[in-house]
Amino acid sequence: MTQASLLRQITDYANRADPYPLYKELRRTPVLRDEDGPYLVSTYWEIQSLLHDPRTSSDARNLATTGGYGATPLEETSLPPSFIRLDPPEHDRLRRMAMRSFGPPHTPRRIHDMRDALHAIVTDLIDGLGNTDRIDLVEQFSYPFPVTVICRLLGVPREDEAHFRTWADIIAASLDPVPGEDPTERDRTTQQARNELGMYLAGLVEERRRKPGEDMLSELVTGKGPDGTMTTMEVLSTSVLLLIAGHETTVNLITNGMLTLMRHPEVLQRLRNEPGLAVPLVEELLRYEPPVQLIPQRTTIADIEVSGVTIPKGASLWLVLASGNRDPERFTDPDRFDPDRKDIQHLGFGSGIHACFGAPLARLEAQIALTELARRLDNPRLLEDPPPYRQSAVLRGPRHLHFACDGIRP
Amino acid sequence: MTGDGYVEWLKREGRIVIVGASLAGLRAAETLREEGFAGSLTMIGDEPYEPYDRPPLSKQVLLGKASAEHTALPRRRAIDARWRLGVAATGLDMAARRVRLADGDEVEYDRLLIATGVRARPWPRKEEAELDGVFVLRTRDDAVELHRRLAGGPRRVFVIGAGFTGSEIASACREQGLPVTVAERAAAPLVGPLGGVIGEVAARMQREHGVDLRCGVMVTRLEGDSTGRVRAAHLSDDAKVEADVVVVSLGATRNTEWLAGSDLGAGPRGIACDAGCRAFDFRGIVTDDIYVAGDVARSPHPLFGYQFLSLEHWGNAVTQAEVAAHNMISVSVDRRPHMWVPAFWSSQFGVNIKSVGVPSMGEELLVAQGSLAEGRFTAVYGYQNRVIGAVAFDQSRWLQFYQHLIETTAPFPPPFPTVDRRPEGRHPVPADFPDPSVPTHGPTVTLSGYSPADRRLTFTPGR
């Protein structure tokens, strides 16, 4: 196998169901220059150090090669990049303002206080699963749950939730780079979807400005902290980011979680008997089957030496989180799913200044969802293994997860 | 008996005594049990409480957000110890391997761990220190009393010393809307640990939050009224500040007096030990049965020129205790060095301050990211052209990177660009530490290998 073929194999859909042997191969060269351009980093300590390295940038304008919005002139109506694609100080300012209405120190109880509401949504969805001979966990549970939650949190009316799936799919697909492909056409489609979603949200923003509610959108629009208030455009790109991130990651965390549990029925049985297991179990899942497999959007603003390789300024960096999570130099017996693992500093949420903004919500959603599914599904079993996967190599997860069970407990 | 056989016997049925029942003592005890020590374990502490956590005392407890009773340290595992709480150790007989206690009792040991930590340095004039309303803040009891008095709504609080504790107390007062005056001998707060450039930022932060900050002054006298209550503080610039609560925050004194005459290498700077936490006797010979950990220890660190460092850091207490406990019950080849990179944090005026390395060794400073003017930044300290320390104000997520630079003795100033580098970060400036021969209160790292007054030895290894 040539080294260069690894990147193409990772993005090749044929390997989506089990990319881990490829990652193992990849780790033999911790920093690998791919013939298609990017430098792939696949070992735990190297990824960890680059996530904290102020010589790496998330701003596409620092990318020397083609691609990124610096290369594509944007229409004036386009949304500015959200904070995930910006560097400090702009990143810090926008993230700080968004955090004011989401988490500590200003809103420390927001997520905790959603516990009962999350539980109620989960209960409704499980009650409505219907015919137990063939259930699609993705369609009937994993997708609608986080969508409902993020819409409620932001303040998007329930009846509009359906619109999002198309936009979200297109925008999420843009995170999935295809080596060698000319990105222009896809960038255009993505921008269009972002703009349409932005236009829809702009309407909501206007309503909230007139009549603010308790939701995050209202607080983003009206909030006055030491950093001032977000402009309308900033509110829009932040909301688009939160909606997409809230849609596309937790779905996979829950689906990967149930898939893993059905492959490990003894753990499923334990979770049924000891709901407290959900907390370490979700952490182990984030290590073992992370919803975000890799971060393909970092750039170097200086030459950086990593593991004896000099990554030049302006290079594109791919940090393969899911590979770092299975690095035997960091975790003992890394390919074993072990919810009792004591030492579990995984890369599932990234690290550093871009560490997952929604992590507390994702954790709580997955803990509640998996505990309730384990408790209420009677003898669930997979109808196909592996299940069909979604296209994305970045946001990896099953497109459908068909299973049967003997019944639904009350 | 061979050395190996002794350690096996020790692990099975030896007697280990830990003097000091705080963070380091507890973590050491847990590590001993974790690593299979099955003998008898005695924990001696002069306070009546089981081990509790101190960082919340100057923050959440003063604000009434947490009660002092709820600061007990979480237990990692059962330690099955004999507790001798509320009784201080008063002496050590190294030859007979006994610790003397204040109640006249004696406890024998096969291995001893000393983790007696530090105590608040009191106001030097005893009569004034005993006035009602004059406080120090180090213990749980101190925090309960001070919180009670602050909750009673004093007209003004006067804080002597703007180190970390003094600044945190001032912050807690302002958060409760209490008028507060801070007097600091140096030119700015936090200059001992962080230098004058960062001190200026801290000074601005305090003033913006309504602290009446007086720098470059000393407190000459505390004045009481006829009922013995404090009523004012007199300053060296002839000013007089009326206050009904005075908090003395002049740093810490190491608890080593009980070792006087024991022939252990213990003094006002702490107890010298090797990198494996074994204490030295007064002749500089390492003991093999006495170990030290936590604030009271001072040990050589290879990253900082083998300087003896005393660290008043939470994380240091934990890791040093773990290393000491491991080494106490290991044969020599299995022992580990304690090489923790100094790190501490503080929270004040809504700002999260974190530091790694030894900033106080720094000669120059570079604002590598962010801006001093905005109060959000990461500054790097340079010593002899290498990176020696870093501090972040509300930017701690980058610190891991700078810690790595310190660990790898990277050049200073760092020769590369960083995200969020501003014009002020183009060139290093003098870090502006006060003259080291003038003792400052409250440095969190004390370089205790030599004092500038000592004659210095230089060792030049052959090539």
Side-chain angles (χ1 to χ4, degrees):
Chain A
M1 186 184 323
T2 67
Q3 288 195 324
S5 70
L6 273 169
L7 173 58
R8 287 183 186 250
Q9 286 186 70
I10 288 168
T11 50
D12 182 352
Y13 182 72
N15 292 312
R16 196 69 72 247
D18 185 13
Y20 296 101
L22 289 170
Y23 296 157
K24 185 177 180 184
E25 180 75 20
L26 193 58
R27 281 192 301 268
R28 289 169 49 179
T29 318
V31 181
L32 176 66
R33 171 79 203 267
D34 185 79
E35 65 180 14
D36 285 313
Y39 283 76
L40 282 79
V41 186
S42 54
T43 43
Y44 181 92
W45 296 114
E46 283 66 26
I47 295 171
Q48 171 77 12
S49 102
L50 284 168
L51 286 169
H52 291 264
D53 195 318
R55 294 167 295 179
T56 67
S57 165
S58 294
D59 190 328
R61 284 168 293 192
N62 287 317
L63 195 61
T65 49
T66 56
Y69 67 94
T72 325
L74 299 180
E75 299 165 52
E76 280 186 3
T77 52
S78 289
L79 288 179
S82 58
F83 60 77
I84 201 173
R85 301 306 315 269
L86 290 172
D87 290 336
E90 276 301 277
H91 161 274
D92 294 0
R93 183 179 66 84
L94 289 168
R95 181 170 161 134
R96 214 158 44 224
M97 286 198 283
M99 191 55 90
R100 274 185 86 81
S101 56
F102 182 77
H106 301 287
T107 320
R109 294 189 61 85
R110 160 99 58 183
I111 301 306
H112 182 266
D113 288 347
M114 289 179 76
R115 185 175 278 275
D116 288 347
L118 298 185
H119 206 276
I121 300 168
V122 164
T123 301
D124 279 354
L125 287 170
I126 297 179
D127 287 345
L129 284 178
N131 179 7
T132 53
D133 292 341
R134 190 174 175 84
I135 297 169
D136 181 356
L137 190 80
V138 179
E139 286 293 330
Q140 295 176 258
F141 185 88
S142 311
Y143 187 81
F145 174 43
V147 171
T148 307
V149 173
I150 193 71
C151 287
R152 193 173 293 185
L153 185 68
L154 268 172
V156 172
R158 190 102 196 236
E159 60 273 19
D160 293 338
E161 287 173 13
H163 301 324
F164 291 123
R165 189 151 196 182
T166 328
W167 290 324
D169 278 353
I170 295 171
I171 298 170
S174 73
L175 296 170
D176 189 36
V178 181
E181 187 206 66
D182 176 6
T184 318
E185 174 56 25
R186 209 164 54 156
D187 281 354
R188 205 189 54 76
T189 322
T190 311
Q191 263 315 329
Q192 194 182 333
R194 286 186 82 222
N195 285 342
E196 286 175 21
L197 180 49
M199 300 267 268
Y200 166 77
L201 288 169
L204 283 184
V205 163
E206 272 317 300
E207 284 177 31
R208 294 300 187 283
R209 218 187 280 285
R210 284 197 304 272
K211 192 165 169 274
E214 303 274 287
D215 50 81
M216 264 186 86
L217 204 52
S218 299
E219 289 174 23
L220 289 180
V221 171
T222 58
K224 282 192 187 60
D227 293 300
T229 311
M230 282 188 188
T231 65
T232 300
M233 290 300 258
E234 287 169 347
V235 171
L236 295 181
S237 54
T238 302
S239 320
V240 170
L241 170 67
L242 299 182
L243 270 173
I244 301 304
H247 272 69
E248 297 297 331
T249 50
T250 320
V251 181
N252 291 337
L253 178 57
I254 293 169
T255 315
N256 291 338
M258 263 320 271
L259 174 62
T260 305
L261 286 173
M262 284 190 275
R263 286 171 175 172
H264 296 82
E266 71 291 349
V267 182
L268 184 66
Q269 183 60 42
R270 266 186 71 193
L271 178 59
R272 195 171 287 153
N273 299 333
E274 36 174 319
L277 184 66
V279 174
L281 180 126
V282 166
E283 293 314 301
E284 174 69 346
L285 272 175
L286 285 157
R287 183 193 72 82
Y288 185 77
E289 287 275 24
V292 180
Q293 296 265 303
L294 56 99
I295 301 176
Q297 293 141 340
R298 299 290 162 95
T299 308
T300 46
I301 61 165
D303 292 358
I304 303 181
E305 198 200 299
V306 182
S307 269
V309 177
T310 300
I311 306 173
K313 176 182 174 180
S316 162
L317 273 185
W318 286 28
L319 306 177
V320 192
L321 305 178
S323 170
N325 276 350
R326 300 245 192 151
D327 184 348
E329 294 284 314
R330 175 62 184 83
F331 298 104
T332 36
D333 207 358
D335 290 324
R336 202 165 82 86
F337 176 66
D338 176 12
D340 297 318
R341 202 176 276 279
K342 289 270 178 293
D343 176 22
I344 174 104
Q345 284 254 312
H346 58 74
L347 300 169
F349 286 130
S351 192
I353 62 163
H354 292 281
C356 177
F357 179 95
L361 178 61
R363 285 191 162 107
L364 191 59
E365 286 179 322
Q367 288 161 8
I368 292 175
L370 295 175
T371 310
E372 282 301 288
L373 288 168
R375 187 178 72 78
R376 298 192 56 193
L377 299 180
D378 188 8
N379 187 27
R381 53 205 177 268
L382 288 167
L383 294 177
E384 48 189 332
D385 189 8
Y389 273 78
R390 309 202 308 179
Q391 177 56 44
S392 177
V394 172
L395 305 174
R396 174 178 163 268
R399 181 180 302 280
H400 302 286
L401 189 70
H402 289 113
F403 71 98
C405 61
D406 295 343
I408 311 272
R409 299 194 188 90
Chain B
M1 201 185 295
T2 69
D4 292 20
Y6 179 76
V7 166
E8 276 165 33
W9 169 85
L10 180 76
K11 283 182 81 165
R12 214 170 43 242
E13 51 191 302
R15 297 160 301 176
I16 291 183
V17 172
I18 297 178
V19 184
S22 191
L23 178 62
L26 176 66
R27 290 296 179 245
E30 288 169 341
T31 306
L32 286 169
R33 293 300 191 205
E34 187 73 39
E35 298 196 6
F37 174 65
S40 85
L41 184 58
T42 306
M43 303 283 293
I44 297 166
D46 61 351
E47 288 186 70
Y49 310 112
E50 292 205 1
Y52 59 85
D53 210 16
R54 294 183 200 278
L57 298 181
S58 56
K59 307 173 188 79
Q60 294 93 323
V61 172
L62 283 195
L63 288 169
K65 289 180 179 172
S67 85
E69 293 77 40
H70 290 109
T71 54
L73 281 163
R75 298 294 178 86
R76 292 177 176 176
R77 55 168 296 131
I79 57 172
D80 185 24
R82 202 169 137 241
W83 293 87
R84 301 294 302 265
L85 295 175
V87 51
T90 52
L92 170 66
D93 184 336
M94 285 171 64
R97 293 184 166 178
R98 283 167 194 229
V99 174
R100 280 193 298 279
L101 301 184
D103 61 6
D105 213 354
E106 295 195 333
V107 191
E108 294 186 15
Y109 63 84
D110 299 301
R111 286 273 195 273
L112 172 68
L113 177 69
I114 301 173
T116 42
V118 301
R119 64 181 185 278
R121 182 175 290 140
W123 183 242
R125 300 187 194 193
K126 201 154 184 292
E127 264 175 39
E128 294 173 16
E130 283 170 358
L131 288 170
D132 182 33
V134 177
F135 294 88
V136 292
L137 178 54
R138 176 75 195 172
T139 67
R140 222 179 96 166
D141 289 346
D142 295 340
V144 167
E145 278 301 299
L146 182 55
H147 170 247
R148 197 173 56 81
R149 195 62 72 93
L150 295 183
R155 279 176 297 125
R156 177 167 291 275
V157 179
F158 188 88
V159 179
I160 308 176
F164 278 105
T165 307
S167 299
E168 286 174 8
I169 293 165
S171 169
C173 288
R174 290 308 301 146
E175 204 170 326
Q176 294 169 96
L178 298 172
V180 57
T181 298
V182 175
E184 165 60 46
R185 174 169 51 189
L190 309 183
V191 288
L194 297 176
V197 177
I198 305 303
E200 277 310 308
V201 179
R204 199 180 65 225
M205 214 160 78
Q206 299 212 358
R207 294 199 167 107
E208 279 171 0
H209 283 83
V211 174
D212 170 29
L213 176 66
R214 318 274 185 103
C215 292
V217 293
M218 302 223 288
V219 177
T220 51
R221 188 164 68 86
L222 298 177
E223 180 190 331
D225 64 15
S226 56
T227 65
R229 289 190 60 127
V230 71
R231 59 189 276 176
H234 293 264
L235 304 180
S236 55
D237 61 0
D238 292 335
K240 173 184 173 185
V241 179
E242 307 248 355
D244 34 14
V245 172
V246 171
V247 191
V248 180
S249 296
L250 293 176
T253 302
R254 292 178 160 72
N255 291 319
T256 54
E257 290 84 352
W258 67 284
L259 295 164
S262 70
D263 291 352
L264 200 66
R269 291 172 175 185
I271 304 165
C273 63
D274 72 1
C277 306
R278 295 182 299 179
F280 289 127
D281 73 11
F282 79 107
R283 301 165 300 172
I285 297 177
V286 74
T287 61
D288 205 35
D289 50 358
I290 303 177
Y291 289 71
V292 291
D295 295 0
V296 79
R298 61 195 195 95
S299 64
H301 202 305
L303 269 181
F304 306 98
Y306 290 95
Q307 272 273 8
F308 277 75
L309 300 182
S310 307
L311 305 172
E312 293 175 40
H313 297 165
W314 194 94
N316 182 68
V318 172
T319 53
Q320 200 166 22
E322 287 168 353
V323 171
H326 170 85
N327 290 347
M328 286 171 90
I329 53 170
S330 297
V331 296
S332 58
V333 292
D334 292 335
R335 289 183 188 142
R336 297 197 300 252
H338 171 61
M339 292 201 293
W340 192 71
V341 175
F344 70 85
W345 79 93
S346 172
S347 169
Q348 46 184 281
F349 305 102
V351 176
N352 174 270
I353 302 174
K354 262 187 169 173
S355 150
V356 291
V358 183
S360 53
M361 281 177 85
E363 296 156 345
E364 290 187 299
L365 174 139
L366 180 85
V367 183
Q369 294 179 258
S371 147
L372 297 178
E374 290 169 21
R376 283 194 194 86
F377 60 87
T378 305
V380 187
Y381 293 82
Y383 171 71
Q384 296 183 348
N385 304 319
R386 59 165 284 209
V387 177
I388 202 85
V391 64
F393 275 45
D394 271 348
Q395 260 196 11
S396 60
R397 283 173 190 262
W398 295 112
L399 270 192
Q400 186 178 318
F401 174 77
Y402 294 98
Q403 176 169 340
H404 183 71
L405 294 186
I406 296 163
E407 286 167 345
T408 52
T409 63
F412 180 91
F416 45 75
T418 52
V419 294
D420 203 13
R421 176 74 63 87
R422 312 289 180 85
E424 64 187 292
R426 284 203 194 113
H427 304 288
V429 295
D432 192 19
F433 280 96
D435 179 351
S437 65
V438 178
T440 56
H441 60 272
T444 54
V445 183
T446 305
L447 304 175
S448 52
Y450 61 90
S451 94
D454 291 343
R455 184 169 298 177
R456 213 174 147 185
L457 291 175
T458 308
F459 173 63
T460 313
R463 286 172 192 273

